[in-house]
Amino acid sequence: MTIGYRPGSPNGRPGSSRPGSPSTHTKVEEDLHTMAGIDYDKVTIKHNPSVAVLYEEALTHEFGTVIASSGALCSYSGKKTGRSPNDKRIVDEESTEKDIWWGPVNTKMSERVFLINRERAIDYLNTHPRLYVFDGFAGWDPKYRKKIRVIASRAYHVLFMRNMLIRPTEQELEDFGTPDFTIFNAGEFPANRYTTGMTSTTSISINFKRHEMVILGSEYAGEMKKGVFTVMHYLMPKAGVLSLHSSANEGPNGDVSLFFGLSGTGKTTLSADPKRRLIGDDEHCWSDTGIFNIEGGCYAKCIDLSAEKEPEIFNAIRFGSVLENVVLHSETREVDYEDDFLTENTRCAYPIDYIPNAKIPCMGGHPKNIILLTCDAFGVIPPVSKLTANQVMYHFISGYTTKVAGTEDGIVEPTPTFSACFGAPFLVLHPQKYATMLADKMSQHAADAWLINTGWIGNSAKNGGKRCPLKYTRAILDAIHDGTLAQTEFETYDVFGLMIPTALNGVPDSFLHPKRAWQGSPDDFDASLQHVAAMFMENFKIFKDEASPETCQAGPKV
């Protein structure tokens, strides 16, 4: 019989046995001792602790941690409140060096420097009286899922990954075995900036040969989430599975749509459709049998969040969820979602089953529609265009949108942004590899592809143009999903060569063609169109060496 926990008893909290007290050690403790030198006689190792225990641990041992009035745990990541892409490294070793797309996204690290950082991280973890370990899965399809082990010094980090990975059943945990990838999170401790190749006291490094990731100098939990995504971006294409930075939903008839888009394009808002079930909001794979979500949770932005605007996300913030870097009332503990005192990048991580219309398991059939979202602030990209296979590859590799004033500090006029495959920081292989796989799968499964502009119509953002109303964008999506848009008549748009529908129910005809919607002079329109086209062409130069001739020809022509 298990003795129940009694507050104030000499046994202390459940699961908090003193180091060295057991006569035998668990397999996880033995594994950590063997592969990483974790001294289980001095360190208490808490393996897959419950949400309640993680709350207790974080509230007891992590300064500033509190419970919000909603029941969510409020944690703080210190100096780093976002990812550090300039500090990400991939180990240059013989088994992967010819595959990786080396350059600004993937900077080389020697095996020796990785081992120095690994040793530094493990030495730090060994100084902690308690460590937290979570074993979970990446990928809902059992055929392709990967076993991920997270070792961290903060309960907050393990609760975060408990939400973001797929949580194993008791039997799956018992049969877990050796992990496919291990994350050593010693983010509380800095990297040595005098170590060869270090540019700061932060280091995020991945070693595919050792199946390990080491984090130093950043307590931002999103580094773990995106580290797993980076790993899947390498492993999945090697297995013939396309990994995608996208959201996905499913209609009542089982039709699946994929949404690609950078920040500010509406990816999260548009994929959260009450008429369709959510498969996932950020990371997916497309295999021979269909789509599956990589994650077991969602990581939503919280700035300006309200129950009126996004009720599903707002109501998912409850016991078990992790709020990051938010400001709350000192007495009521109610969160002020408009307060960006600590950062604009306030976030919440919660299990996907906290969303009422989530599809569990998070898997679907082959996509019927591929939707590329952009927010063009120059007023020249059509609200909707039908794409050919080659145009899909071109615009997928380009990953275009524009940032406008107010989205970031220092942005005072529309600023173009290109992010390959709508997720350049997480790519491991050359973008053409992912683009070709996407085009092949679209062809094989007869999927339609669309470019939707949620940005400005009638003129540029700074010259009086108007943002495309959400009701029109939703009408476009409804026409895509019910099949009527694919059956309409199209006309060809100059310069970009895009196919624009001539009419669409619920959307004024004048909105559909940028030139006819333009409220300024024809010369101004032509100048804006030529300017955007030139930006695309300049950006694509870095991909020309490995992009196919067909892809290169699918871009704008001036």
Side-chain angles (χ1 to χ4, degrees):
M1 176 180 177
T2 302
I3 300 174
Y5 166 56
R6 297 181 177 87
S9 73
N11 291 326
R13 284 187 169 158
S16 297
S17 57
R18 296 174 64 184
S21 59
S23 56
T24 59
H25 293 285
T26 66
K27 184 181 185 304
V28 170
E29 289 173 332
E30 294 287 0
D31 286 349
L32 296 185
H33 180 70
T34 301
M35 58 101 55
I38 301 295
D39 189 346
Y40 48 57
D41 287 324
K42 295 181 180 179
V43 178
T44 298
I45 297 170
K46 297 178 182 293
H47 181 219
N48 280 50
S50 68
V51 171
V53 168
L54 288 168
Y55 263 54
E56 292 174 354
E57 293 290 316
L59 290 166
T60 302
H61 303 295
E62 298 177 15
F63 179 76
T65 303
V66 296
I67 300 177
S69 59
S70 64
L73 187 74
C74 295
S75 294
Y76 298 88
S77 63
K79 183 179 178 181
K80 298 282 186 176
T81 57
R83 289 182 299 102
S84 301
N86 293 334
D87 297 307
K88 190 189 87 171
R89 301 287 185 272
I90 292 182
V91 173
D92 181 15
E93 43 82 20
E94 67 280 1
S95 68
T96 59
E97 64 176 344
K98 293 182 180 179
D99 296 326
I100 292 171
W101 182 40
W102 298 112
V105 172
N106 298 305
T107 303
K108 293 182 180 182
M109 170 185 274
S110 71
E111 291 184 83
R112 179 178 178 275
V113 169
F114 177 84
L115 291 175
I116 290 172
N117 282 359
R118 181 184 188 272
E119 190 82 357
R120 186 176 178 89
I122 291 171
D123 285 348
Y124 173 75
L125 294 173
N126 263 317
T127 68
H128 262 256
R130 67 199 66 82
L131 294 178
Y132 308 95
V133 178
F134 183 76
D135 290 338
F137 300 110
W140 278 86
D141 188 334
K143 181 178 178 181
Y144 297 107
R145 72 183 184 185
K146 296 299 177 184
K147 297 179 290 185
I148 308 295
R149 172 166 290 168
V150 180
I151 305 164
S153 56
R154 292 192 64 180
Y156 141 56
H157 288 151
V158 163
L159 179 57
F160 175 93
M161 288 304 281
R162 187 186 190 280
N163 288 345
M164 297 312 303
L165 292 172
I166 299 160
R167 295 155 290 285
T169 64
E170 287 188 17
Q171 188 60 52
E172 287 172 336
L173 187 58
E174 187 176 327
D175 299 336
F176 196 78
T178 303
D180 297 309
F181 227 88
T182 299
I183 299 173
F184 295 99
N185 189 337
E188 293 177 280
F189 196 62
N192 184 339
R193 58 194 177 92
Y194 295 107
T195 302
T196 304
M198 294 297 98
T199 51
S200 73
T201 56
T202 298
S203 175
I204 317 295
S205 53
I206 294 174
N207 188 326
F208 285 107
K209 186 167 77 171
R210 293 186 63 94
H211 311 284
E212 292 177 345
M213 175 180 179
V214 171
I215 299 174
L216 289 165
S218 174
E219 298 174 65
Y220 180 65
E223 294 287 10
M224 294 181 289
K225 165 189 159 65
K226 289 306 185 185
V228 172
F229 189 37
T230 301
V231 169
M232 295 295 275
H233 254 331
Y234 178 76
L235 297 179
M236 289 297 100
K238 301 289 280 186
V241 176
L242 174 59
S243 48
L244 300 164
H245 189 213
S246 70
S247 58
N249 63 25
E250 181 183 87
N253 297 321
D255 58 296
V256 172
S257 289
L258 288 178
F259 296 79
F260 299 88
L262 300 174
S263 180
T265 60
K267 180 180 70 170
T268 301
T269 301
L270 294 172
S271 61
D273 187 331
K275 301 186 293 293
R276 300 171 67 83
R277 299 175 73 187
L278 181 69
I279 296 174
D281 75 331
D282 197 41
E283 303 172 6
H284 292 84
C285 290
W286 189 350
S287 73
D288 290 339
T289 55
I291 289 292
F292 63 89
N293 191 351
I294 290 174
E295 301 181 296
C298 301
Y299 192 35
K301 290 183 178 179
C302 289
I303 194 70
D304 296 326
L305 179 68
S306 70
E308 294 73 30
K309 288 192 293 186
E310 296 181 274
E312 292 86 4
I313 295 175
F314 188 89
N315 292 324
I317 301 175
R318 56 183 193 262
F319 181 77
S321 300
V322 179
L323 279 164
E324 280 186 322
N325 300 317
V326 298
V327 176
L328 29 67
H329 191 280
S330 60
E331 294 297 328
T332 65
R333 294 293 195 260
E334 290 184 4
V335 177
D336 183 353
Y337 290 110
E338 295 180 356
D339 196 322
D340 61 358
F341 175 74
L342 294 174
T343 177
E344 283 195 4
N345 191 35
T346 53
R347 295 270 185 166
C348 184
Y350 50 86
I352 194 167
D353 54 22
Y354 280 20
I355 297 295
N357 68 334
K359 185 185 180 189
I360 309 293
C362 301
M363 301 170 66
H366 295 291
K368 185 177 179 181
N369 289 289
I370 310 296
I371 297 163
L372 310 186
L373 298 168
T374 187
C375 176
D376 173 45
F378 297 95
V380 297
I381 302 295
V384 61
S385 315
K386 195 172 191 298
L387 301 178
T388 66
N390 289 327
Q391 286 174 333
V392 170
M393 289 193 286
Y394 182 89
H395 286 278
F396 182 64
I397 290 174
S398 297
Y400 165 73
T401 194
T402 49
K403 297 176 183 177
V404 295
T407 58
E408 289 184 12
D409 289 342
I411 300 293
V412 295
E413 61 181 27
T415 304
T417 299
F418 293 89
S419 185
C421 305
F422 297 94
F426 322 118
L427 300 182
V428 182
L429 311 177
H430 189 279
Q432 182 66 49
K433 171 69 173 178
Y434 304 99
T436 300
M437 291 182 73
L438 178 62
D440 289 346
K441 286 188 175 294
M442 283 180 54
S443 174
Q444 183 180 352
H445 301 290
D448 287 326
W450 310 89
L451 178 66
I452 292 181
N453 175 26
T454 62
W456 275 257
I457 301 293
N459 211 313
S460 65
K462 70 175 183 177
N463 289 329
K466 302 296 183 184
R467 189 87 188 250
C468 185
L470 181 59
K471 64 179 181 179
Y472 293 159
T473 304
R474 289 211 179 274
I476 290 168
L477 280 175
D478 288 344
I480 289 173
H481 288 142
D482 67 20
T484 57
L485 188 54
Q487 304 302 319
T488 195
E489 292 186 5
F490 293 87
E491 58 181 312
T492 302
Y493 183 42
D494 291 342
V495 180
F496 277 87
L498 300 170
M499 301 298 291
I500 304 175
T502 56
L504 197 157
N505 188 38
V507 181
D509 292 350
S510 61
F511 263 68
L512 295 173
H513 196 295
K515 191 165 189 175
R516 291 196 283 271
W518 193 259
Q519 299 297 306
S521 71
D523 288 346
D524 286 346
F525 174 82
D526 290 341
S528 188
L529 179 62
Q530 295 287 326
H531 173 64
V532 173
M535 290 192 305
F536 268 87
M537 296 168 70
E538 180 65 27
N539 172 72
F540 210 80
K541 286 179 180 179
I542 60 176
F543 306 112
K544 275 191 171 182
D545 288 347
E546 295 193 46
S548 67
E550 294 80 9
T551 303
C552 295
Q553 288 298 312
K557 298 175 176 62
V558 295

